[in-house]
Amino acid sequence: MDTTSSAISLRVNGETYSLTVDNRTTLLDALRERLDLTGTKKGCDHGQCGACTVLLDGRRANSCLQLAVAAEGRAVTTIEGVADGERLHPVQQAFLDFDGYQCGYCTAGQVCSAVAVIEEHAAGWPSAATADVRPEAGPPSLDDDEIRERMSGNLCRCGAYVSIVRAVAAAASQAAAERESAGDTVQAGGARVTA
Ligand code: FES
Ligand code: FES
């Protein structure tokens, strides 16, 4: 019996893929080299740059630090899966509108991270930049310091940070407006309620 490889199925961007991988294969390598989903980039391969960020069950994760076998049964979303068909995700559109990239190498990870950051903030999660983390203080406003802190796991060698912060702020405002018009509000402590 071969104990060094496993037959797994990965659910990526709503599609199920069956493949046999060496047990040491990272999710990043499986995505890029086995599934040809090369939008996710390999920067440091050590969990330090964020270029490989994907969403695992809706939460951001460095795919270079995840084993493909451990992703079985989980929902993986890569940059190829964040858009709604031909319609860009609002975060992608904001990166275009605000010039949030230069070479673009970090962009897929930045966008995936920002999608999750906006969700995390809307759910009331504090960050290291949050001055008052008591539940009764309610969610902090997503100001530049909060965005910088929450996006600090994503490095950009080109230094497009100023525009990235503007893009994330714009997409977050749009998401908040859409939640408001849908009657969805966040209570102190982060509980989301629907009117
Ligand atoms: S390639 Fe994964 S964090 Fe750098
Ligand atoms: S745009 Fe070049 S690394 Fe970020």
Side-chain angles (χ1 to χ4, degrees), residues 6 13 17 19 44 50-51 78 84 111-112 116-117 120 124 135 140 148 152 155 159 169 173 180 185:
S6 301
N13 303 329
Y17 300 88
L19 63 168
C44 64
T78 69
D84 179 10
V111 167
C112 285
V117 160
E120 290 162 13
R148 287 178 186 278
S152 62
L155 306 184
S173 298
E180 198 169 312
T185 57

Side-chain angles (χ1 to χ4, degrees), residues 164-189:
I164 290 169
V165 169
R166 288 192 191 126
V168 175
S173 298
Q174 183 183 340
E178 285 170 8
R179 274 195 304 278
E180 198 169 312
S181 69
D184 196 15
T185 57
V186 177
Q187 287 184 328

Side-chain angles (χ1 to χ4, degrees), residues 96-144:
L96 283 174
D97 294 343
F98 291 87
D99 289 332
Y101 54 87
Q102 289 180 36
C103 79
Y105 198 83
C106 70
T107 308
Q110 300 274 7
V111 167
C112 285
S113 226
V115 168
V117 160
I118 292 168
E119 287 285 316
E120 290 162 13
H121 175 262
W125 294 15
S127 79
T130 303
D132 189 343
V133 297
R134 292 173 305 158
E136 58 269 31
S141 70
L142 198 56
D143 59 19
D144 286 3

